[in-house]
Amino acid sequence: QKDDSQQLLESFNNDEKEHTLMESKAEPYTSKEEIVVEASDSPLNSNIAAFALKAKVIYPINQKFRPLADGSSNPSLHENPKQAVLPNQVVETSVSGSLGSLSQGDKEDCSSSTTIHSTTSDDRFHARAFLKVASFPEVLTCESFDVKLCLCSLTLKDLMLLDTELRKEKHVMFIQVFKIYLTDFHHKKKITDGLLKKILLNQENDFEELQKQLDSRLQNVEMSGAHNSEFQTLEDLERREREYSEHVIDNMEAFWKQTDKAQQDFLDQSKCSSAKATKIMMDLTEKMIAVESLLSESQDLQAMDIQERLFNWELMVKMIDSLKSSIPEECKGRLNTVSNILDCLTVKNNLSVRQKEELLTNLHKAFWEQLAHYSNECMQQSKDLILKRLQCRAKRKEEFKRRQEAEQGSLLSKTFLTEDVHNFLKAYHELIEKHWQAQWDLEEEDDCESTEAVANLYKELYSKASYALAELVTELFLQTLPVVTSLSVRECELLKEEWQENLVPELEKWENHRQRRWKLFQEQLLQEKELWITEYALSAVMQKHLSEKQEKIIQGVVSRLGCLSDESVSYILQKHRLLLCSVLRRLTFRRLGMAALARMRLSRKKSSLQELREQCTLQKGHSLCQDEEQWQLQKAVESHIREEEEKLEEETQETNLEFHQQLVTEIQEALQFLQQHMEQVIGQTLLQYARGEAEKKNSDDGQDFKERLVESAVESVYGTSNNINRLVQNYYQQLGKITEAYEGKKLQHLKSLQAERNERLKNKEDELALKEKHTKGLLNVSSAVHQRVVLQQNKILAQFELKQQIRLESLKQKLLGLHCLETKLENQLREAEQDFMRELAVLTRVPVTVKKKPSKRSKPAGVKANSKRQTFQSPEPAEKDESHENIQEPHGITSGLCRAMSQSSHEGETEPRKNSKMIKKKGSR
């Protein structure tokens, strides 16, 4: 105890610093590590040399036995063997640690080092455990150095809670909107009451099952890395966030599939027309787009509130930490003033060196023991206070929850018409926001009150410590010194008054010191706010770019189809916009979480560097007059800090790049889900269109007229087999000429398109070559490799986009040309068929009038039919198949007619009815 207190005295006394260093050879208990600790705890009493020494001393975390000056090892004064230590977990059990200051291991690992740690140290920090907190008041009693990690983990928890609330709100809104449309159908007697209840019950059960699956998966994620329920690691937190995002995206995909299934089942069971079904699906999609818009706006505002609350938390934590650190720092200053007075007595030979050391040792021992007792009481009172307030908060939140559920149930029980859907969505969303704001205000109010209560406890501790020290100093001057020295009581009283007078400038210095540190902290916090605003703006720009790119892609896909109605195209675009809004909103949550994780990963090094900046700034303000050696040391430290800033900036970029690449990967996976879902939507729309076109064609092919003509021709006695065969042969020759001309025109059209395409490609490539030559002329040989690589990449991308654009334009022209040729072919085949039937009627003298169909009606039908086929296969086979199909139809009529006439010539005219039935059967075939 004597040795430890002696070293403590020597470290406090700035005037005896040189004397202490010279006595270190004779006194082996004097350790360089203890000098460094005091230099960091009392910067006003340390010089530049001590600060530089502090910057070089590094000890591993949790090293119990540290080397002393003579090479021996003794247990550190800051270790407490009674407290269990987790792996890689720093604990604080010293007097300053109990006051919430940085623990010794943390100072050595984070604060006392001015070097960026190695990869091994980074891995150790990544797997290092820190306290798992559920609310901010718990952080106020946290003794760990990793307060920043605790606060960021609370931010992640708030983001996760917000995501859950918004997802629940979206599910409720969809069910209610769906219920409104079902009720409307029920009122119009289009579905029965039993069917209405059945559909609603099935949907509610399906959504509950989806939520149960998600809760189960999230519970497994939470428990998978929970080796200790009270502590967590940054590695576990990153893994949980990543898996949580994956499960939520899977749940989102299942939700939209379930909504599509619910809509389709409802439309199938209601048996409404295709046009009516499309309109209902468009209305539902439009309402859900409005829901996503409300949720996205609310998400942005509340995410900003969460970030602002994080900054407020840091301010409150810094205030408590300032109160904690001010108590031992000011007490050390008061003790140092006592030491200076005793030094004066030693110089005057009123007190021996040994007597002075014994007096100071006893004073320090008595005071620090008393302060430790008060600190432990204060810490226990703080924990009890926080526990009590958290219990009260939980009760109030339960009351809030019951009241909010009642209000929501009252609104959901009301009946809304389809015209009032927007009013319902607005009212329900405003109610949810009101409840969220009420809970938010409750938590913020409780946080402020808890912080104020803890601050009052530490102010009381400060008063107790000051009073205890004053009592001990009074006892020293008025009771001990008169006995030990030859001084009178009056002289001792004068010494006490001198001590009190000397305290005034010292306390003013400490107050100025605290104010400068607080100002530096506020500047740092302001820089973090500006950085966060910049990152948020960049994220918004990226999200807008991604949205525009996806909108352009889906519009290009729809424009290439070219066969769908305006309603179907509008529905596809609306569906894509809805899913894209949902995906982007989820990715915004993920980006905010990644930003918090990146800050957590860099928090240790930022804190270490910030402390060095503070120490250097305060030292420059304290030491106004410096000699050449001190000036050189100061410049060396500043240069070293600049080097560490560059290293930190480089690591920050690497960390941000790592998270950005991970975010890009997740964006690609989410867009893959979007693409697959839209493929199904477009496929269903094309299928409905194909069915409608098939029904229209079957109802408009004039089959009844053909059957009547065949029956009349067979029953006629004027038509012979030779005449009809000659007529059929002429018809076949005419069809051959038409198809031959069609094939020739098609081949000529394709050749001209190919030549035009090659010509355009050549011209564009020449333009790119000239542009590339001009760009190369601007770059000299000394240009960076990166610039040349970027130019090469741009060149390749430009060539690819050019060829793709020319290819698409050529395909469009090819499609339009083939549509035109097909329309002409169909009109010519139809005219030839009608001419054949008219000549057949004249030959057999059957008084039947052939009504020629107008070409204006057949033209768009041909265009639409071919557009549908163009969607699924290449144009050339489609044209061949279509031409053969149109030729086979009259061929069936003529072949059946020839066979019937042949049989009629052999069997005679006795069974005309029987032959008529046979001819009709073959003709229909």
Side-chain angles (χ1 to χ4, degrees):
Q1 292 175 351
K2 176 177 179 296
D3 293 345
D4 295 337
S5 60
Q6 174 64 26
Q7 173 56 34
L8 202 59
L9 293 174
E10 291 170 348
S11 63
F12 287 153
N13 191 352
N14 190 28
D15 297 334
E16 296 183 3
K17 184 71 67 174
E18 183 178 356
H19 174 69
T20 303
L21 294 175
M22 293 181 63
E23 287 185 350
S24 62
K25 297 180 179 180
E27 296 178 327
Y29 53 79
T30 304
S31 71
K32 188 190 324 182
E33 179 261 350
E34 291 172 347
I35 297 176
V36 172
V37 173
E38 299 306 326
S40 64
D41 288 339
S42 181
L44 293 182
N45 294 325
S46 61
N47 54 21
I48 293 296
F51 177 68
L53 180 62
K54 169 185 178 295
K56 296 179 181 179
V57 177
I58 303 175
Y59 288 111
I61 298 177
N62 291 341
Q63 180 176 338
K64 292 185 176 181
F65 300 97
R66 295 166 182 165
L68 301 182
D70 61 345
S72 62
S73 61
N74 287 328
S76 172
L77 296 175
H78 299 277
E79 299 291 343
N80 187 354
K82 296 181 180 180
Q83 184 171 357
V85 180
L86 290 174
N88 297 325
Q89 176 62 25
V90 178
V91 295
E92 302 168 359
T93 56
S94 65
V95 174
S96 60
S98 64
L99 292 175
S101 62
L102 303 181
S103 66
Q104 182 65 21
D106 286 330
K107 288 181 180 179
E108 292 168 348
D109 182 60
C110 303
S111 302
S112 299
S113 172
T114 61
T115 59
I116 298 299
H117 295 66
S118 62
T119 305
T120 305
S121 179
D122 291 339
D123 296 339
R124 180 182 61 185
F125 176 74
H126 199 238
R128 172 176 163 183
F130 61 94
L131 189 64
K132 184 185 296 184
V133 293
S135 60
F136 170 71
E138 298 179 31
V139 182
L140 298 175
T141 60
C142 178
E143 299 181 0
S144 171
F145 173 71
D146 304 314
V147 173
K148 182 73 171 181
L149 299 181
C150 296
L151 294 180
C152 288
S153 67
L154 288 178
T155 299
L156 292 174
K157 183 179 179 182
D158 286 343
L159 289 174
M160 192 179 299
L161 180 61
L162 175 60
D163 183 30
T164 303
E165 292 297 328
L166 293 180
R167 183 168 58 253
K168 180 181 177 181
E169 181 180 354
K170 180 177 69 173
H171 291 186
V172 172
M173 283 184 170
F174 174 79
I175 292 177
Q176 290 302 314
V177 171
F178 192 58
K179 181 180 179 181
I180 290 173
Y181 278 90
L182 285 175
T183 306
D184 181 67
F185 264 62
H186 178 256
H187 290 163
K188 294 178 180 179
K189 307 298 183 181
K190 293 186 178 181
I191 58 175
T192 62
D193 184 67
L195 182 59
L196 170 65
K197 294 181 179 179
K198 179 182 177 182
I199 294 176
L200 288 177
L201 182 61
N202 290 338
Q203 297 313 312
E204 291 177 357
N205 292 337
D206 291 339
F207 286 130
E208 287 180 1
E209 184 63 26
L210 283 179
Q211 188 60 38
K212 288 181 180 178
Q213 292 178 1
L214 179 62
D215 293 340
S216 176
R217 292 176 180 177
L218 296 182
Q219 184 68 22
N220 293 335
V221 170
E222 186 70 22
M223 298 300 296
S224 60
H227 303 295
N228 191 297
S229 59
E230 297 181 0
F231 294 88
Q232 58 185 346
T233 64
L234 184 55
E235 183 179 7
D236 290 339
L237 202 57
E238 291 181 3
R239 176 191 54 79
R240 277 205 306 270
E241 284 291 315
R242 183 172 58 253
E243 294 181 1
Y244 172 83
S245 179
E246 294 174 357
H247 291 316
V248 169
I249 289 180
D250 291 342
N251 178 264
M252 179 182 65
E253 180 179 358
F255 170 78
W256 289 120
K257 287 182 179 180
Q258 183 60 37
T259 56
D260 290 346
K261 180 177 178 295
Q263 296 177 32
Q264 195 61 44
D265 291 344
F266 159 62
L267 297 175
D268 292 342
Q269 296 181 17
S270 62
K271 298 180 181 180
C272 59
S273 62
S274 177
K276 182 66 175 178
T278 303
K279 184 178 183 304
I280 293 175
M281 295 176 70
M282 287 181 63
D283 289 342
L284 287 172
T285 305
E286 180 183 357
K287 301 304 183 296
M288 291 308 298
I289 289 177
V291 170
E292 284 292 340
S293 178
L294 291 174
L295 297 180
S296 179
E297 182 180 356
S298 178
Q299 172 181 307
D300 292 339
L301 294 176
Q302 294 180 21
M304 295 181 69
D305 290 341
I306 290 174
Q307 185 64 33
E308 187 66 27
R309 182 157 75 167
L310 174 61
F311 295 138
N312 294 334
W313 281 346
E314 292 187 9
L315 281 173
M316 290 187 283
V317 168
K318 184 65 175 180
M319 182 185 67
I320 297 297
D321 183 69
S322 178
L323 287 174
K324 291 179 180 180
S325 60
S326 65
I327 297 173
E329 288 175 353
E330 289 194 12
C331 291
K332 290 174 184 177
R334 294 169 187 262
L335 292 172
N336 189 36
T337 306
V338 175
S339 178
N340 291 336
I341 294 176
L342 295 181
D343 287 340
C344 294
L345 295 178
T346 304
V347 172
K348 296 177 182 180
N349 294 324
N350 292 328
L351 195 66
S352 65
V353 175
R354 185 173 184 83
Q355 287 175 335
K356 182 197 71 172
E357 293 174 354
E358 289 179 355
L359 291 177
L360 287 178
T361 300
N362 295 332
L363 177 62
H364 277 268
K365 182 176 180 297
F367 171 71
W368 290 117
E369 287 180 353
Q370 201 165 358
L371 181 59
H373 175 70
Y374 291 151
S375 300
N376 292 333
E377 285 185 353
C378 181
M379 179 59 67
Q380 188 60 43
Q381 290 175 0
S382 300
K383 292 182 178 179
D384 295 340
L385 174 66
I386 294 302
L387 180 60
K388 184 177 180 180
R389 294 195 65 88
L390 289 178
Q391 292 175 353
C392 294
R393 176 191 285 195
K395 293 180 180 179
R396 292 179 63 184
K397 289 178 69 173
E398 286 295 328
E399 294 176 0
F400 265 64
K401 185 177 180 180
R402 286 194 297 267
R403 195 158 58 243
Q404 291 169 2
E405 289 178 351
E407 293 179 3
Q408 294 176 19
S410 175
L411 178 60
L412 296 177
S413 63
K414 294 181 180 179
T415 302
F416 292 90
L417 301 178
T418 54
E419 297 82 6
D420 301 330
V421 173
H422 282 291
N423 295 332
F424 161 74
L425 295 178
K426 183 178 179 181
Y428 185 75
H429 182 67
E430 289 179 352
L431 181 63
I432 295 297
E433 280 194 330
K434 174 186 173 184
H435 293 165
W436 177 271
Q437 190 63 39
Q439 184 175 351
W440 188 269
D441 294 339
L442 169 66
E443 293 178 356
E444 283 196 335
E445 180 183 359
D446 189 72
D447 290 343
C448 294
E449 292 178 354
S450 300
T451 304
E452 185 177 355
V454 174
N456 291 333
L457 289 176
Y458 279 101
K459 289 178 182 178
E460 183 180 353
L461 173 62
Y462 176 78
S463 300
K464 289 181 179 180
S466 300
Y467 178 78
L469 182 57
E471 289 292 324
L472 291 174
V473 172
T474 301
E475 181 182 355
L476 173 66
F477 283 117
L478 300 183
Q479 297 181 13
T480 307
L481 280 182
V483 176
V484 176
T485 64
S486 59
L487 298 175
S488 63
V489 176
R490 178 57 185 168
E491 290 176 335
C492 292
E493 289 178 353
L494 293 176
L495 291 176
K496 178 187 175 185
E497 292 176 0
E498 180 184 355
W499 171 72
Q500 292 175 345
E501 292 175 359
N502 293 338
L503 282 180
V504 176
E506 290 294 330
L507 294 179
E508 290 179 356
K509 290 181 181 179
W510 280 109
E511 182 63 26
N512 295 333
H513 170 71
R514 281 196 298 269
Q515 291 179 0
R516 287 199 300 270
R517 292 184 66 180
W518 183 257
K519 184 178 179 180
L520 290 173
F521 173 75
Q522 288 179 328
E523 292 176 356
Q524 177 198 0
L525 201 60
L526 182 60
Q527 292 177 359
E528 291 185 2
K529 285 185 178 181
E530 294 175 352
L531 179 61
W532 183 84
I533 292 174
T534 303
E535 291 177 353
Y536 194 84
L538 290 175
S539 174
V541 171
M542 184 184 70
Q543 182 171 326
K544 182 180 179 181
H545 170 72
L546 183 61
S547 177
E548 292 176 351
K549 184 177 180 181
Q550 291 299 314
E551 290 284 351
K552 184 178 179 181
I553 290 175
I554 191 64
Q555 288 177 358
V557 171
V558 173
S559 65
R560 293 173 199 169
L561 297 177
C563 62
L564 300 176
S565 62
D566 294 339
E567 292 78 8
S568 299
V569 171
S570 179
Y571 170 69
I572 291 175
L573 295 178
Q574 280 189 348
K575 193 70 175 179
H576 180 268
R577 190 176 301 113
L578 171 61
L579 297 178
L580 183 61
C581 289
S582 182
V583 168
L584 292 179
R585 195 168 58 80
R586 174 57 233 166
L587 293 175
T588 300
F589 268 118
R590 181 59 174 146
R591 184 196 61 79
L592 293 173
M594 285 184 172
L597 292 172
R599 287 196 297 271
M600 295 176 72
R601 188 180 288 188
L602 299 169
S603 62
R604 179 193 59 167
K605 296 177 181 178
K606 283 186 176 181
S607 299
S608 175
L609 187 57
Q610 180 62 23
E611 183 177 349
L612 290 175
R613 290 171 181 166
E614 289 182 2
Q615 295 285 359
C616 185
T617 303
L618 295 174
Q619 189 65 41
K620 286 194 296 185
H622 179 66
S623 302
L624 298 179
C625 298
Q626 298 178 350
D627 56 19
E628 182 65 22
E629 183 179 358
Q630 290 176 335
W631 186 82
Q632 291 293 340
L633 287 173
Q634 182 76 34
K635 290 299 180 181
V637 172
E638 291 176 355
S639 175
H640 186 64
I641 290 178
R642 286 194 296 270
E643 292 178 0
E644 299 306 327
E645 288 176 348
E646 295 176 358
K647 293 180 181 179
L648 180 60
E649 179 65 24
E650 181 180 355
E651 184 173 353
T652 301
Q653 293 180 0
E654 293 177 356
T655 303
N656 292 336
L657 178 60
E658 178 183 349
F659 280 110
H660 178 72
Q661 291 175 346
Q662 186 176 348
L663 180 62
V664 169
T665 302
E666 296 185 11
I667 288 176
Q668 292 175 349
E669 294 175 355
L671 293 181
Q672 184 69 23
F673 144 71
L674 176 63
Q675 178 182 347
Q676 293 174 356
H677 199 93
M678 288 309 302
E679 287 174 357
Q680 297 176 1
V681 172
I682 295 175
Q684 290 291 336
T685 306
L686 289 174
L687 182 60
Q688 293 179 0
Y689 169 79
R691 289 173 178 173
E693 287 296 317
E695 293 175 359
K696 182 178 179 181
K697 185 175 182 181
N698 291 334
S699 62
D700 199 30
D701 59 357
Q703 187 66 27
D704 295 338
F705 171 74
K706 296 175 184 178
E707 291 179 358
R708 288 196 305 270
L709 178 61
V710 171
E711 184 177 352
S712 299
V714 170
E715 292 178 353
S716 176
V717 296
Y718 298 100
T720 63
S721 176
N722 293 332
N723 293 336
I724 292 178
N725 286 333
R726 185 166 54 253
L727 185 62
V728 169
Q729 291 296 329
N730 293 335
Y731 177 59
Y732 281 164
Q733 292 176 2
Q734 187 178 2
L735 292 182
K737 293 178 181 179
I738 292 173
T739 54
E740 184 178 357
Y742 166 75
E743 293 293 338
K745 291 180 180 179
K746 185 173 72 171
L747 182 61
Q748 182 180 0
H749 175 68
L750 295 177
K751 288 182 178 180
S752 62
L753 284 179
Q754 184 66 30
E756 182 180 356
R757 176 182 175 184
N758 294 335
E759 183 67 21
R760 290 185 60 191
L761 184 60
K762 181 179 179 182
N763 294 336
K764 292 292 185 179
E765 287 180 348
D766 293 340
E767 293 179 3
L768 287 178
L770 290 175
K771 186 176 180 181
E772 181 187 357
K773 184 178 181 181
H774 176 70
T775 305
K776 284 184 176 180
L778 297 178
L779 292 177
N780 51 23
V781 182
S782 61
S783 299
V785 178
H786 177 69
Q787 293 180 347
R788 294 198 293 271
V789 172
V790 170
L791 288 176
Q792 184 68 17
Q793 291 177 350
N794 294 336
K795 174 186 174 182
I796 296 175
L797 289 176
Q799 291 178 351
F800 173 77
E801 292 178 357
L802 174 63
K803 292 181 180 179
Q804 184 76 356
Q805 182 181 1
I806 294 177
R807 176 176 172 272
L808 291 177
E809 292 178 357
S810 177
L811 287 176
K812 287 182 180 180
Q813 293 179 1
K814 178 180 177 181
L815 182 62
L816 292 175
L818 293 178
H819 281 175
C820 182
L821 292 176
E822 180 192 5
T823 302
K824 292 180 181 179
L825 175 65
E826 289 180 352
N827 291 335
Q828 291 175 356
L829 292 176
R830 189 175 291 106
E831 290 176 0
E833 179 186 1
Q834 292 175 353
D835 292 342
F836 167 74
M837 289 188 292
R838 189 164 39 249
E839 292 177 1
L840 177 62
V842 173
L843 178 64
T844 57
R845 299 181 183 182
V846 176
V848 179
T849 303
V850 179
K851 295 183 179 181
K852 185 176 181 180
K853 298 182 181 180
S855 59
K856 292 182 179 179
R857 182 180 178 184
S858 62
K859 185 175 180 179
V863 173
K864 286 189 175 182
N866 192 58
S867 300
K868 175 190 68 176
R869 288 187 297 273
Q870 178 64 21
T871 304
F872 296 100
Q873 59 189 13
S874 60
E876 292 122 354
E879 297 301 329
K880 294 179 181 179
D881 295 342
E882 183 66 17
S883 63
H884 292 167
E885 181 183 351
N886 289 330
I887 295 172
Q888 287 297 328
E889 186 176 357
H891 175 72
I893 297 175
T894 53
S895 62
L897 183 61
C898 291
R899 291 172 186 173
M901 296 303 296
S902 176
Q903 291 180 5
S904 130
S905 63
H906 289 291
E907 297 177 4
E909 302 293 335
T910 58
E911 299 180 0
R913 295 293 179 184
K914 182 176 180 181
N915 293 336
S916 174
K917 293 181 180 180
M918 178 185 66
I919 293 171
K920 287 167 64 179
K921 183 176 180 181
K922 292 186 177 182
S924 63
R925 289 178 182 176

